[in-house]
Amino acid sequence: EMSEMSERSKQNVAHGLAWSYYVGYLKIVLPRVKKSMEEFCRVNPNLLACRKTWKLHILVPLSCDVYDDLEKADSNIQYVTDLTETTLARAGTKKRVYKHSLYAIRDEENQLWHCAVEFATPLQSLYAMSQDESAAFSREERLEQAKLFYRTLEEILKGSKECADAYRLIPYEEPEEAETHFLSREIVWHLRQEHHEEIAVLEGSHPHTPSTALNSAELNLQISVSDLPQPLRTDGF
């Protein structure tokens, strides 16, 4: 009965996607991000001078509108290079390659900011489901699932020691009227916060963290405790 209720409310969709994204991807790549950044900085010491940006910046558009080409999404975002690849045998595929792309983000003052950034790919599945009649997934349900995906992923990553300080989630809602450089401004905002955090640490003061455009409180869907991310088993194993 509980399973049927969960399926009817589709709450299991976002939970499943978040856990799959973490276990099947983020838990593999995030612990290796800083090493890739270090290797890159040995050759290019000036591009990533701020160590606080040595992480994977994960874009979470609540519209689930994911672009395959960031440069086409915003002309102020330019591809620079790929970081060092990680090659593993995975689920029967030998030498499966995992890699991240480094981008230069141009701000309104024509300054360049460099970071590794990519979209949360499971959102493509949510979008595809909302376009498929057989999934019976409305646009409103898609928005709720996107928010639940973000909150679930945030909770999972907060509890992951392997991934600590190796990521930054960037949730956002696109404006109703199209803005040419909305995405680049969103990314730069987060990069500036990371620079402020590093300066504060170097000066020995407590970093000031202003509220972001979207935070967990604003993404609250009145989710009950039982709906929040739970361990895969509850018997202690």
Side-chain angles (χ1 to χ4, degrees):
E1 183 178 353
M2 290 296 294
S3 177
E4 289 177 358
M5 289 174 62
S6 178
E7 288 177 9
R8 283 197 299 270
S9 66
K10 300 185 177 69
Q11 291 172 351
N12 55 329
V13 174
H15 282 166
L17 287 174
W19 273 106
S20 177
Y21 185 47
Y22 168 68
V23 175
Y25 179 64
L26 295 181
K27 192 175 181 180
I28 298 170
V29 302
L30 289 182
R32 297 171 170 82
V33 165
K34 287 192 180 297
K35 182 179 179 181
S36 295
M37 294 287 189
E38 288 175 359
E39 292 175 356
F40 177 82
C41 285
R42 291 193 193 105
V43 182
N44 307 276
N46 297 323
L47 292 187
L48 291 170
C50 176
R51 296 182 68 92
K52 277 287 184 177
T53 64
W54 291 13
K55 57 187 67 173
L56 182 62
H57 298 77
I58 303 171
L59 301 173
V60 186
L62 299 184
S63 65
C64 298
D65 196 0
V66 172
Y67 295 90
D68 290 324
D69 191 334
L70 277 169
E71 293 176 300
K72 291 182 179 179
D74 189 324
S75 60
N76 277 350
I77 303 175
Q78 295 295 318
Y79 168 80
V80 177
T81 188
D82 289 330
L83 297 176
T84 305
E85 299 177 350
T86 295
T87 305
L88 300 171
R90 187 75 175 169
T93 300
K94 292 185 179 295
K95 298 182 179 180
R96 175 165 290 183
V97 175
Y98 298 87
K99 65 180 180 180
H100 310 292
S101 296
L102 189 75
Y103 288 88
I105 320 295
R106 189 177 303 277
D107 66 15
E108 63 277 5
E109 298 174 354
N110 217 34
Q111 179 182 350
L112 290 179
W113 302 72
H114 294 84
C115 70
V117 59
E118 60 189 50
F119 282 97
T121 51
L123 295 178
Q124 288 181 312
S125 298
L126 284 178
Y127 186 86
M129 289 177 69
S130 70
Q131 303 298 307
D132 194 317
E133 292 183 2
S134 61
F137 214 61
S138 70
R139 183 178 298 180
E140 291 73 20
E141 288 172 324
R142 184 183 73 196
L143 176 60
E144 290 185 357
Q145 288 297 309
K147 291 179 179 179
L148 184 55
F149 169 83
Y150 167 73
R151 292 193 61 206
T152 304
L153 183 61
E154 183 182 45
E155 290 296 321
I156 293 171
L157 288 172
K158 281 182 178 178
S160 173
K161 294 181 180 179
E162 302 99 319
C163 301
D165 202 34
Y167 68 92
R168 189 177 185 102
L169 298 180
I170 305 179
Y172 64 89
E173 285 187 291
E174 295 182 1
E176 294 183 4
E177 295 184 6
E179 294 183 22
T180 306
H181 300 303
F182 168 80
L183 188 55
S184 58
R185 287 200 303 271
E186 193 74 17
I187 297 171
V188 167
W189 188 93
H190 285 268
L191 293 175
R192 282 178 174 148
Q193 300 315 308
E194 290 169 339
H195 275 255
H196 293 328
E197 290 168 11
E198 176 159 294
I199 291 172
V201 170
L202 292 174
E203 292 178 348
S205 60
H206 295 289
H208 172 63
T209 307
S211 59
T212 59
L214 287 174
N215 56 37
S216 294
E218 291 173 312
L219 292 174
N220 187 4
L221 299 175
Q222 302 300 320
I223 301 171
S224 68
V225 174
S226 61
D227 289 330
L228 291 174
Q230 301 293 326
L232 297 181
R233 294 183 63 176
T234 57
D235 54 5
F237 294 91

